[in-house]
Amino acid sequence: MAQKSSKPSKVDVSNFFPSLFIIGFLLVGFIPNWSAVDKIAPQWLYLSILNFVSGIYLFYNRKNFSYRFFSVLSSGMAVCYISFVLWAFLSYFYAINPTEVLVNIVRHFNTLFMLLNLAIFLYNIKNKNRLVSFAVMLILSIEVYAVLAQFFEMYNSTGIINSEQLKGVTANRNITAFSIAIKLPYVLYLIFVSRRFLFKILYSSLIFLGLFCLSIIESRASFLAAGLIGVLLFLWSAYLSYKEKSLKHSLLNLYYLVPMGFAIIANQGYTSEKGADALSRAATISFSTQDGSVNQRLRYYEDVLTHIMNNPILGVGIGNWKLTSIDYDKKDISGYIVPYHAHSDFIQLGAELGFIGFFLYLFVFISGAYYIYIILFKSNLNSEVKLFIMMLACSLGVYGIDANLNFPIARPQVLAPWALTMSLLIFHYRQIKKIEVSAKKTSRFSFFPFFLLIIMAPSIYITNVNYKSLIGQLTLLRDFNSNQYNVSLDKIDNITPWLPNITVTTIPMQAIKARYYLYYKRYEKAIPMLKEGISANPYLLFSENLLGKAYFEMAQIDSAFHYSKKAFYGLPNNALHGATYATVLSVKGDTLELNRALDNLSGKTNPVIWKNFIIAYAAVTKPGTRGMAKRINKAVELYPDEPEIKSMQRLYVIGQEKINESNSIAAEGLAFYNQRRYIEAAKKFEAAGDINYIEYSHFENAASAYFLAGDYGQSLLYLNRVIKEFKPMTGKSEYLKGLILINWGDSVQACELFNISLGYGYSQAQTSINQYCSNQ
């Protein structure tokens, strides 16, 4: 009997590769910095490669994916996002720094294609809601473990928790906190749909650990995000309870509130006294402008909105706000720490791309909210799917808080779960809006893999070049921050490639390289590089400051004056700019410009800048000059605790000759004092104080002499002047005043002064406290 020939069954890989790609996108946050100054550089390179490989896979399977191309690309969310990225690309032609547009536009293309690819691949995944949630849960477990490992290392080694160092696998704690928070709703979904009690306990434990991590990281914005999840969960359960006339749905809240309660208890019981007190940190959440962080953000928002109102159609170009923001915030910028982000992705994009770019990006999120509304309230999908969509709404809400208080648009770690959330919304919305289309119509969308590959090929090149640049920048910025020059001249030109043309701190690349040539007096090389750097960032004025130094060293004072003046007034609170300009003015002998520069300073100005200009002023005028005295006295008022400025006041307002004269007269007074000729001593001290009227000790000595002479009224006059005007806080004047009040019968106020004196460290006050204040 003939046997049937058996053919090997075909392995179904339609689910395998899409699953790998989805997991690959979600793992982007685990890519390390690989020697770059910022780990986002290798992460964007990774995304470029992954998108490109996805494009190859989709190209070879384009016939099988044709309907999915159509379904995803024709969705309202995709149309808005594609339009946004194309509009951003056009900003290359009007941007302040077009090179920065290239650096940033490939990031937006990568995020766009990550979202679209995820939405397309999701069609192949069976039981996708649970499987995707399970994958997110595993990734969250690793992130939580990384934070807890750092926590226990601190706890066991020093016993002090430094929340700012709890970064997990990311670059800073805010990214870590939101990377955890945005994934919590996926784990909540697994709790809700799991039938086995053990799994519910395990998933609930992960929720507890995730919330505990948030409590010790102490990112206030993430506290708001965690609270929002609870609020949305409560509203959904309340809606279901009202709709079905049953309270059983209110139990949904317990799966979140109980772990949150335990997380708070653990925080208060074990970490609150070790530097990580979540409740105290949460209590500082405020909208008051007295909060430094709030005040800074409000200032940034005001600058952005002002710019949008003045430039409603075309902004400054994608990725260029970090340049323009310097001009708006120049009076508050210290050093070269610029407002790199506006701490709101939405309005920052408005400043960079105008109202059109702002609304296109906003409509991406409005589309997501619309999809959620339609699925939850207008569809016939089962309750489990709707519950999953509600959890997606929670994740989207978490991202919304992050996007309005931070800048997740620049961080692949948070963008990946956001793109997954949006792609899931697209899929489920298109499932209830199925459209019957002809094969001919869907075939028109087969261009997608071609377009993806065409865009991703240069994207790989640009992200790779940017990554190599950030490796070189690590050395350049380390040298700059430590004022060193560890790169030889034969290597400096090629330490970074051509792109980007500014560092991650917005310093022009040519200018930071030119400082090496300037150090070695290679002016013929340094000056052209510095001038080239001006166009890369015309607001930081780093190039202009170094040009001022170069021309000063070359004794070309007029050119040095031109550039150093521009640098100083452009960033008046930059100590390097102030030092260069003050040096030039001292050589130039320009007292009018010195007066103008000093009048431009304020209480916000770095005191080092005040000191440099005071020294420059002293180099061109005699001590006691009216203009100098006025401005030094102002500096003393603004910085009463700066001993150097007080020393300058004595030296430049009084002058060394008069100081010597007053000291000589005071010495005569001391001789009379030692001879117990107190009235004569007091007169000498008064005379010394008339000459050197900024030295409090002359007046204090006069008060002491009058006290011993029995003239309490005259003594009190000088003591009050020392206490109120000079505030030396040595305790002696308070002690003497207390003795006068004892003699006048006012022991209550006297004892208060004795205690103040003792608090300042004047030990003699203790004897008087024991003698006169035992009954107080």
Side-chain angles (χ1 to χ4, degrees):
M1 183 174 170
Q3 291 185 343
K4 275 187 175 180
S5 61
S6 60
K7 293 183 179 179
S9 60
K10 238 182 177 181
V11 178
D12 183 12
V13 295
S14 62
N15 187 55
F16 178 72
F17 286 109
S19 299
L20 281 183
F21 284 122
I22 292 173
I23 294 172
F25 283 117
L26 294 177
L27 291 176
V28 64
F30 295 100
I31 303 299
N33 65 345
W34 284 333
S35 301
V37 70
D38 192 332
K39 68 188 304 181
I40 66 169
Q43 287 177 353
W44 286 118
L45 175 58
Y46 168 82
L47 281 181
S48 295
I49 295 172
L50 188 57
N51 274 318
F52 186 79
V53 175
S54 298
I56 295 174
Y57 175 79
L58 292 174
F59 173 77
Y60 280 106
N61 295 275
R62 58 189 181 277
K63 290 183 179 179
N64 296 331
F65 282 92
S66 60
Y67 177 78
R68 298 161 199 177
F69 294 156
F70 162 77
S71 181
V72 172
L73 294 175
S74 63
S75 66
M77 183 187 294
V79 170
C80 288
Y81 204 178
I82 293 169
S83 301
F84 162 76
V85 175
L86 292 176
W87 179 258
F89 174 74
L90 293 176
S91 69
Y92 175 87
F93 300 101
Y94 61 79
I96 297 170
N97 186 333
T99 305
E100 271 302 291
V101 174
L102 294 179
V103 172
N104 284 271
I105 196 61
V106 296
R107 297 175 179 178
H108 288 286
F109 271 116
N110 269 293
T111 306
L112 168 66
F113 286 128
M114 174 169 59
L115 188 156
L116 297 177
N117 286 333
L118 285 169
I120 291 167
F121 290 140
L122 282 170
Y123 277 83
N124 285 58
I125 310 299
K126 300 172 183 177
N127 200 12
K128 57 181 62 58
N129 295 347
R130 295 194 183 199
L131 290 176
V132 166
S133 296
F134 189 77
V136 171
M137 181 274 297
L138 291 177
I139 292 171
L140 175 62
S141 301
I142 299 172
E143 293 182 34
V144 167
Y145 171 79
V147 174
L148 292 177
Q150 294 172 347
F151 163 73
F152 282 115
E153 183 180 353
M154 294 178 189
Y155 193 92
N156 295 326
S157 59
T158 64
I160 302 298
I161 309 303
N162 184 352
S163 296
E164 292 188 0
Q165 295 304 312
L166 292 174
K167 302 176 182 179
V169 299
T170 72
N172 69 56
R173 64 172 178 172
N174 283 321
I175 301 173
T176 298
F178 274 96
S179 183
I180 291 173
I182 200 171
K183 296 181 179 73
L184 292 178
Y186 286 91
V187 184
L188 281 172
Y189 170 73
L190 290 176
I191 297 175
F192 299 147
V193 299
S194 296
R195 296 181 180 179
R196 296 182 62 179
F197 182 71
L198 175 62
F199 287 151
K200 287 182 182 288
I201 293 297
L202 291 174
Y203 295 143
S204 297
S205 299
L206 182 57
I207 294 290
F208 158 70
L209 293 174
L211 291 171
F212 177 71
C213 286
L214 296 187
S215 77
I216 58 177
I217 291 172
E218 292 191 310
S219 166
R220 293 184 295 183
S222 71
F223 291 169
L224 295 176
L228 179 65
I229 294 173
V231 170
L232 291 176
L233 190 59
F234 170 78
L235 292 175
W236 179 244
S237 64
Y239 167 76
L240 291 179
S241 297
Y242 173 78
K243 182 180 178 182
E244 300 180 15
K245 309 300 181 184
S246 171
L247 295 177
K248 67 177 183 178
H249 295 290
S250 60
L251 295 176
L252 293 174
N253 297 293
L254 296 179
Y255 289 116
Y256 187 68
L257 294 180
V258 171
M260 176 178 282
F262 279 120
I264 294 172
I265 291 171
N267 176 271
Q268 294 300 293
Y270 296 98
T271 70
S272 61
E273 295 182 357
K274 298 182 181 297
D277 188 339
L279 294 184
S280 296
R281 178 67 171 167
T284 65
I285 296 175
S286 168
F287 295 101
S288 170
T289 55
Q290 293 181 349
D291 185 298
S293 178
V294 172
N295 190 46
Q296 183 188 63
R297 278 175 167 80
L298 291 176
R299 194 175 72 243
Y300 291 169
Y301 297 162
E302 182 181 359
D303 292 343
V304 172
L305 293 174
T306 299
H307 186 83
I308 294 174
M309 292 299 109
N310 294 331
N311 304 271
I313 306 301
L314 301 179
V316 295
I318 196 72
N320 276 246
W321 172 249
K322 56 182 169 283
L323 308 180
T324 306
S325 66
I326 300 170
D327 192 42
Y328 283 95
D329 206 49
K330 59 187 176 185
K331 291 185 178 179
D332 292 288
I333 290 176
S334 178
Y336 293 114
I337 303 173
V338 305
Y340 204 86
H341 298 281
H343 286 269
S344 172
D345 287 343
F346 294 97
I347 61 173
Q348 179 171 322
L349 288 171
E352 293 180 338
L353 302 173
F355 278 120
I356 296 176
F358 169 78
F359 282 113
L360 286 173
Y361 190 69
L362 182 62
F363 284 148
V364 174
F365 290 83
I366 292 176
S367 298
Y370 175 73
Y371 293 172
I372 291 169
Y373 171 76
I374 294 296
I375 296 170
L376 292 181
F377 304 109
K378 300 294 182 180
S379 76
N380 295 320
L381 294 178
N382 63 55
S383 59
E384 182 180 320
V385 174
K386 289 189 175 183
L387 181 62
F388 181 69
I389 297 302
M390 192 61 216
M391 293 304 97
L392 295 183
C394 291
S395 285
L396 188 57
V398 169
Y399 186 88
I401 289 178
D402 196 16
N404 280 288
L405 294 176
N406 297 305
F407 36 91
I409 200 171
R411 298 294 176 182
Q413 175 90 17
V414 182
L415 284 173
W418 169 78
L420 176 66
T421 300
M422 302 300 265
S423 62
L424 284 163
L425 289 175
I426 290 176
F427 171 81
H428 283 290
Y429 177 75
R430 299 302 276 180
Q431 288 300 102
I432 64 172
K433 295 285 184 179
K434 284 186 177 179
I435 304 172
E436 295 295 332
V437 292
S438 64
K440 183 177 181 181
K441 187 172 183 179
T442 59
S443 65
R444 296 174 187 171
F445 288 83
S446 298
F447 71 88
F448 175 71
F450 295 98
F451 184 68
L452 192 159
L453 292 172
I454 290 171
I455 296 297
M456 283 300 105
S459 174
I460 292 174
Y461 169 74
I462 291 175
T463 53
N464 185 49
V465 170
N466 185 60
Y467 164 58
K468 290 179 178 178
S469 176
L470 265 67
I471 294 175
Q473 286 183 45
L474 186 63
T475 300
L476 293 175
L477 292 171
R478 186 188 294 131
D479 268 9
F480 173 72
N481 291 328
S482 59
N483 196 30
Q484 295 181 351
Y485 301 85
N486 293 317
V487 183
S488 59
L489 292 185
D490 61 324
K491 296 180 179 178
I492 191 63
D493 285 339
N494 297 318
I495 193 170
T496 59
W498 67 276
L499 175 147
N501 59 3
I502 58 174
T503 68
V504 293
T505 58
T506 76
I507 296 175
M509 199 70 70
Q510 287 295 79
I512 202 169
K513 293 178 180 179
R515 67 184 285 270
Y516 291 85
Y517 288 104
L518 185 58
Y519 178 75
Y520 289 105
K521 311 298 181 186
R522 293 281 304 277
Y523 303 116
E524 78 288 351
K525 180 76 173 178
I527 288 176
M529 292 176 70
L530 290 169
K531 290 182 176 179
E532 183 181 345
I534 292 175
S535 61
N537 188 348
Y539 301 111
L540 193 65
L541 302 159
F542 181 91
S543 299
E544 287 83 346
N545 179 61
L546 290 186
L547 281 167
K549 287 185 66 175
Y551 283 118
F552 179 80
E553 292 174 7
M554 295 168 65
Q556 297 182 24
I557 302 302
D558 288 342
S559 295
F561 173 74
H562 169 76
Y563 285 107
S564 61
K565 178 181 180 179
K566 185 177 181 182
F568 170 69
Y569 286 107
L571 277 186
N573 201 27
N574 185 295
L576 294 176
H577 294 191
T580 303
Y581 191 44
T583 302
V584 172
L585 290 180
S586 67
V587 172
K588 202 169 185 288
D590 193 337
T591 55
L592 289 176
E593 193 55 44
L594 278 166
N595 285 332
R596 182 184 170 214
L598 281 162
D599 289 341
N600 191 62
L601 306 183
S602 67
K604 292 183 178 180
T605 305
N606 188 328
V608 172
I609 300 175
W610 277 97
K611 295 171 192 176
N612 284 330
F613 278 105
I614 290 170
I615 293 170
Y617 210 138
V620 297
T621 58
K622 294 180 180 180
T625 303
R626 181 180 177 185
M628 176 185 285
K630 173 186 173 184
R631 290 163 178 86
I632 293 181
N633 291 338
K634 178 184 175 184
V636 172
E637 289 177 14
L638 294 173
Y639 299 99
D641 299 325
E642 280 285 337
E644 285 187 60
I645 292 180
K646 287 186 176 180
S647 297
M648 290 176 175
Q649 187 185 37
R650 285 192 292 271
L651 187 61
Y652 300 140
V653 175
I654 305 302
Q656 192 61 53
E657 186 178 334
K658 288 190 175 182
I659 289 174
N660 293 338
E661 182 184 351
S662 70
N663 288 342
S664 178
I665 295 173
E668 295 175 17
L670 183 60
F672 284 131
Y673 188 91
N674 291 333
Q675 296 169 18
R676 299 186 179 181
R677 297 160 64 180
Y678 296 121
I679 295 297
E680 293 169 90
K683 297 295 182 184
K684 287 294 184 181
F685 288 135
E686 285 177 328
D690 289 339
I691 297 172
N692 185 358
Y693 53 85
I694 61 176
E695 178 54 62
Y696 80 90
S697 63
H698 297 321
F699 303 105
E700 191 172 67
N701 289 337
S704 180
Y706 277 122
F707 173 79
L708 292 174
D711 190 345
Y712 297 149
Q714 195 67 19
S715 176
L716 188 62
L717 184 69
Y718 282 118
L719 289 173
N720 284 334
R721 181 176 178 183
V722 171
I723 293 170
K724 294 178 181 179
E725 187 177 322
F726 292 97
K727 302 180 181 68
M729 294 188 290
T730 62
K732 181 179 178 180
S733 291
E734 288 80 5
Y735 172 71
L736 290 173
K737 184 176 179 180
L739 291 178
I740 291 174
L741 294 177
I742 288 291
N743 281 282
W744 285 351
D746 188 354
S747 60
V748 175
Q749 190 175 350
C751 288
E752 290 179 1
L753 288 165
F754 290 149
N755 282 302
I756 292 173
S757 175
L758 186 64
Y760 287 149
Y762 198 71
S763 58
Q764 286 180 252
Q766 185 63 63
T767 303
S768 297
I769 291 173
N770 295 337
Q771 184 176 356
Y772 301 111
C773 306
S774 58
N775 297 323
Q776 296 293 325

